[in-house]
Amino acid sequence: MKRGFSILVLLLIATSIQAQDAGGRLMAILEKYGQVPTYKLNVVYESVNDRMGFSNTQNGVLVVDGDKYIMTFGPNETWLNDGKTEYIGTKEEDHSQILYFCPGQNTEAIINFGAMTTFFTKDHKGVIEGSNIRLRPNNEMPYVEVYVETENGNLTAITATDDFGTAHKFILSNFSTNTAGTKFVINPKEYEETIDERKGCK
């Protein structure tokens, strides 16, 4: 019995140390990226659900400037927050639509693109796995787990897994503070259908 108790104590200590290490790793990420209000990233988005048998890959570019962001996937998909409204514009061969949301109330996004590099650094519990961190949110979120991959202190990928088992992976590269020429605009006239979800915006 004493041996079993000792093993339990060691496991608790190891878990506590891992949690502290995860907290320290998250703080280092926050200190590195959280003080950079304006940046640009190349993003490869992979959506995979083995159980349901589907996968999708898109190449995009994310630019963040304070409370504004624009994420573009090729010429046909734009996610935008201009500081006043959030938009999703999509174009397909036979249809196009634009959705409007109150800022912070975009229910289509699995994560907050405006805080891509730091959204997971608070309100999560985590453990270290090699150079990576596995996190679970303390509160209800669109995802049940986040897996943060780093290399030499740099963010390389973030995977948010939802409760359907779909893994939404964002592979990050070419981090830069040079955002010259970026316009945080979208043209509603380019879309056939409008869906406005802004009722009750504060």
Side-chain angles (χ1 to χ4, degrees):
M1 182 157 176
K2 286 183 178 178
R3 185 179 176 192
F5 179 73
S6 298
I7 291 172
L8 177 61
V9 169
L10 288 173
L11 286 172
L12 289 171
I13 291 172
T15 302
S16 175
I17 291 172
Q18 266 205 327
Q20 290 173 5
D21 287 347
R25 190 81 59 85
L26 291 172
M27 186 56 66
I29 290 171
L30 182 61
E31 288 175 356
K32 181 167 188 171
Y33 293 97
Q35 305 304 316
V36 184
T38 304
Y39 59 87
K40 183 177 183 179
L41 284 171
N42 286 354
V43 180
V44 177
Y45 170 61
E46 299 176 350
S47 175
V48 178
N49 189 310
D50 293 331
R51 183 166 49 93
M52 295 182 180
F54 73 79
S55 64
N56 178 39
T57 301
Q58 298 182 76
N59 294 297
V61 176
L62 170 68
V63 182
V64 175
D65 185 0
D67 62 352
K68 298 184 288 187
Y69 74 79
I70 186 165
M71 170 88 88
T72 54
F73 291 110
N76 297 326
E77 185 170 349
T78 302
W79 298 64
L80 169 71
N81 183 344
D82 63 7
K84 299 177 181 178
T85 304
E86 288 194 67
Y87 308 82
I88 304 174
T90 56
K91 298 175 184 176
E92 299 174 359
E93 289 184 12
D94 59 348
H95 181 248
S96 65
Q97 69 175 20
I98 184 167
L99 290 87
Y100 296 78
F101 297 91
C102 304
Q105 296 181 28
N106 179 350
T107 56
E108 302 291 317
I110 186 73
I111 63 172
N112 179 1
F113 294 132
M116 172 73 88
T117 59
T118 59
F119 75 92
F120 50 84
T121 57
K122 62 179 182 178
D123 299 325
H124 291 78
K125 294 178 183 175
V127 294
I128 295 289
E129 293 186 4
S131 62
N132 307 320
I133 314 166
R134 190 175 298 277
L135 299 161
R136 289 191 174 272
N138 294 336
N139 306 307
E140 187 174 344
M141 299 295 286
Y143 53 84
V144 296
E145 181 180 273
V146 178
Y147 189 64
V148 179
E149 298 178 51
T150 65
E151 185 176 333
N152 299 323
N154 299 315
L155 284 175
T156 57
I158 301 165
T159 304
T161 303
D162 64 28
D163 53 8
F164 295 106
T166 303
H168 305 265
K169 185 172 185 176
F170 302 88
I171 302 169
L172 313 178
S173 63
N174 296 333
F175 182 91
S176 171
T177 56
N178 181 5
T179 62
T182 302
K183 295 181 180 179
F184 296 88
V185 296
I186 193 168
N187 185 358
K189 294 179 181 179
E190 294 181 2
Y191 302 92
E192 299 168 12
E193 180 184 12
T194 298
I195 301 174
D196 196 332
E197 301 286 349
R198 292 175 295 177
K199 184 177 180 180
C201 277
K202 295 180 179 179

